[in-house]
Amino acid sequence: MIITNPFDSDLNGDKLREECGIFGIWGAEGTAAAMVALGLHALQHRGQEAAGITSWDGTMFHTHRAMGHVAGNFDRDDVIRALPGDAACGHVRYSTTGETALRNVQPLFAELYSGGFAVSHNGNISNAAKLRNELVRRGSIFQSTSDTETIIHLVAMSSYRTLLDRFIDALKQLEGAYSLVCMTPEGMLICRDPLGIRPLVMGRLGESYIFASETVALDVCGAEFIRHIDPGELVIVSDKGLRSIRPFAEVPPRPCVFEHVYFSRPDSIVDGSSVYSVRKAIGAQLAIEDPVEADIVIPVPDSGVPAAIGYAQQSGIPFELGIIRSHYVGRTFIQPGDKVRHLGVKLKHNANRALIKGKRIILIDDSIVRGTTSVKIVQMMRDAGATEVHMRIASPPTRHSCYYGVDTPERAKLLAAQMTVQEMARHIDADSLAFVSVDGMYKALGESGRKESCPQYCDACFTGDYPTRLTDQEDVAPADQLSLLAERVPA
């Protein structure tokens, strides 16, 4: 029997997961779909469950959506040839709750009175259940269980005359996080929510404009980075050129701090900061705040590597690769018997035993979510002969769920929400455990610390300070939530 790899959850499954990445291009002279496929390859880390591309050839829209990775679905000539046109948008995604189904794969597309409308969304609409309930009562018929479809219905039901005004009217009814790339016969609409929670950048390749979740997607396409899309900005690009408007009242931005800690690729620039440099600086801050005598510093691969380098450089303790990761384990595996199942963690990660034996080690990881990863890694180090195992985490304790487009367990399953740091250390069997402080994380980002009255980032997963209303959590009765969103799959 072939199933999803049960060992993916041993290490990689105990991570917060960004739910999607988006990419759009306008003016690509017949190569738009191929460029989008290339860009989505660079954003694959943001969503590995499904991918889709919609193109516009000046007369018709063409869509191909598929479960699985970009490779294998969009590296075939026949697929790309079936997506003609000079403009296209694409999406890679994870699902969180509910079904994994093709109808939820983006871009979502609908024929409106004004013509076709395709949308790729990174984020999560925190009042989607309430909006959906109202729309259904007014006669809307939903075809997916994604919160993104709410945007399409709001545009369709708006009483404003022009498509742009209807789109703005829809946006002003949304709460939560959204970076959007939308295609219409009139042009491409690109926007970022007023708080700028999720990232979005703009680049140029010849006469083409490109929009993507991360700068690394521009690099892969050979495009020039122009700038980040500002929080609350709406960009309209068409054959007439590009223009920008600001339809929202200006508010202090709150971009997601976890983009720097974990989500984005280390070779990306997020809101002006090098992700790699920030992660190294967090590691150095950890060494300042929580030093410990040890022989070697070991990253938990791959996300712990930059912080471990920073910790080692600041502390003077040698950096070593004490855990070796295999990059050749696929996403499927023949179901083993229970006797073998517990050995599955070694398919992807194995201790460098000769290096570890007899050593006092410091393990550096980016976060602790449920704690299952940390338990297995600490045990792996002890089995390999480590005399002491100290764990340092390059983010503050994750004590709260995210409602802005991140796959976070409910709070009851977050280890830091249930235990003190000392209790967590005992739970994972570490000799010591420490997390970087909230202020220390901000210092690594170039700030003097967190401004309590007006935080510079969305850090709700650490502090519980949510920057928007959480209408679906606060106002919708549990029965309504169950009936409306039992299968909801955030963008």
Side-chain angles (χ1 to χ4, degrees):
M1 177 176 65
I2 305 296
I3 63 169
T4 299
N5 188 351
F7 304 139
D8 281 350
S9 61
D10 284 335
L11 293 183
N12 296 337
D14 187 30
K15 295 289 183 184
L16 298 180
R17 283 178 169 176
E18 176 64 275
E19 289 170 13
C20 57
I22 59 177
F23 188 98
I25 187 168
W26 184 272
E29 296 186 353
T31 62
M35 295 302 296
V36 172
L38 193 60
L40 293 181
H41 272 288
L43 299 173
Q44 187 74 85
H45 61 287
R46 298 183 75 90
Q48 299 182 41
E49 186 175 86
I53 296 175
T54 296
S55 69
W56 165 247
D57 65 6
T59 303
M60 295 179 60
F61 287 89
H62 309 267
T63 296
H64 183 79
R65 301 181 298 166
M67 307 306 297
H69 286 188
V70 178
N73 285 311
F74 291 97
D75 54 1
R76 293 163 38 199
D77 289 342
D78 59 324
V79 172
I80 298 301
R81 283 197 302 269
L83 297 167
D86 299 347
C89 65
H91 190 272
V92 290
R93 73 183 286 272
Y94 279 117
S95 69
T96 54
T97 59
E99 66 180 356
T100 298
L102 191 61
R103 64 175 174 162
N104 288 319
V105 179
Q106 298 185 33
L108 296 185
F109 176 81
E111 288 285 355
L112 308 184
Y113 178 75
S114 56
F117 188 91
V119 56
S120 295
H121 171 206
N122 176 19
N124 194 64
I125 309 304
S126 59
N127 64 336
K130 183 177 182 180
L131 291 171
R132 183 179 180 124
N133 195 11
E134 294 169 353
L135 287 162
V136 169
R137 284 173 180 157
R138 291 166 62 189
S140 291
I141 301 172
F142 280 72
Q143 299 300 311
S144 77
T145 57
S146 168
D147 63 341
T148 304
E149 191 180 354
T150 305
I151 299 169
I152 297 176
H153 288 275
L154 289 173
V155 173
M157 299 288 278
S158 174
S159 59
Y160 282 84
R161 185 177 62 86
T162 69
L163 175 61
L164 179 59
D165 286 339
R166 292 201 299 273
F167 184 63
I168 293 171
D169 180 41
L171 295 181
K172 289 186 175 181
Q173 298 177 63
L174 304 180
E175 296 173 4
Y178 53 87
S179 286
L180 302 172
V181 174
C182 305
M183 286 203 309
T184 78
E186 299 177 21
M188 187 172 278
L189 304 171
I190 304 95
C191 68
R192 195 175 177 193
D193 70 75
L195 293 169
I197 297 175
R198 301 261 72 86
L200 192 59
V201 300
M202 177 168 60
R204 192 158 187 176
L205 181 63
E207 299 301 312
S208 303
Y209 286 102
I210 297 178
F211 306 90
S213 293
E214 294 184 35
T215 59
V216 68
L218 304 179
D219 297 339
V220 168
C221 294
E224 173 192 4
F225 169 72
I226 298 177
R227 63 179 178 86
H228 292 81
I229 303 299
D230 290 334
E233 182 180 10
L234 170 56
V235 174
I236 304 101
V237 60
S238 68
D239 292 338
K240 297 177 182 178
L242 181 145
R243 64 189 177 106
S244 170
I245 60 175
R246 311 284 174 135
F248 304 101
E250 187 174 349
V251 294
R254 295 281 298 275
C256 174
V257 75
F258 229 104
E259 292 286 350
H260 298 277
V261 172
Y262 175 66
F263 295 140
S264 296
R265 267 180 46 165
D267 46 343
S268 281
I269 306 295
V270 174
D271 289 322
S273 298
S274 160
V275 174
Y276 178 79
S277 296
V278 168
R279 291 177 187 170
K280 277 186 63 179
I282 291 175
Q285 186 66 30
L286 257 176
I288 294 169
E289 293 181 353
D290 293 291
V292 62
E293 291 187 5
D295 301 306
I296 52 176
V297 175
I298 295 174
V300 177
D302 287 324
S303 56
V305 171
I309 293 172
Y311 193 104
Q313 291 177 348
Q314 178 65 39
S315 66
I317 300 172
F319 169 94
E320 297 286 358
L321 294 178
I323 302 171
I324 306 303
R325 180 187 174 192
S326 169
H327 294 268
Y328 305 103
V329 178
R331 290 178 58 81
T332 59
F333 191 81
I334 298 175
Q335 174 68 49
D338 290 339
K339 184 176 181 180
V340 181
R341 189 180 183 89
H342 73 282
L343 299 175
V345 64
K346 294 186 178 181
L347 284 176
K348 282 197 172 181
H349 298 82
N350 193 39
N352 190 348
R353 187 176 296 270
L355 179 72
I356 293 168
K357 187 175 181 180
K359 300 289 199 322
R360 302 168 299 172
I361 66 171
I362 302 172
L363 286 171
I364 308 290
D365 205 355
D366 58 86
S367 61
I368 291 181
V369 183
R370 297 176 179 87
T372 54
T373 294
S374 302
V375 169
K376 288 180 170 63
I377 289 290
V378 171
Q379 186 60 51
M380 183 188 296
M381 297 297 97
R382 294 201 184 281
D383 291 344
T387 58
E388 295 178 16
V389 181
H390 304 274
M391 199 152 197
R392 297 294 179 266
I393 307 300
S395 64
T398 302
R399 295 193 171 103
H400 304 271
S401 297
C402 176
Y403 300 101
Y404 301 122
V406 177
D407 177 14
T408 314
E410 57 268 29
R411 196 166 184 228
K413 294 183 179 179
L414 295 171
L415 195 66
Q418 308 304 316
M419 298 181 182
T420 66
V421 174
Q422 291 74 21
E423 289 170 339
M424 292 173 72
R426 290 193 292 272
H427 176 76
I428 67 174
D429 193 28
D431 291 282
S432 72
L433 171 67
F435 297 77
V436 72
S437 67
V438 172
D439 276 346
M441 178 180 64
Y442 273 79
K443 289 175 183 177
L445 285 155
E447 307 283 350
S448 58
R450 186 180 192 267
K451 297 177 183 177
E452 295 297 328
S453 60
C454 185
Q456 305 93 310
Y457 292 88
C458 177
D459 53 20
C461 53
F462 307 130
T463 65
D465 182 3
Y466 295 97
T468 74
R469 280 198 63 188
L470 302 176
T471 296
D472 291 345
Q473 302 297 315
E474 301 165 357
D475 298 345
V476 181
D480 289 338
Q481 282 192 2
L482 181 63
S483 63
L484 290 175
L485 294 181
E487 294 182 329
R488 181 175 69 86
V489 183

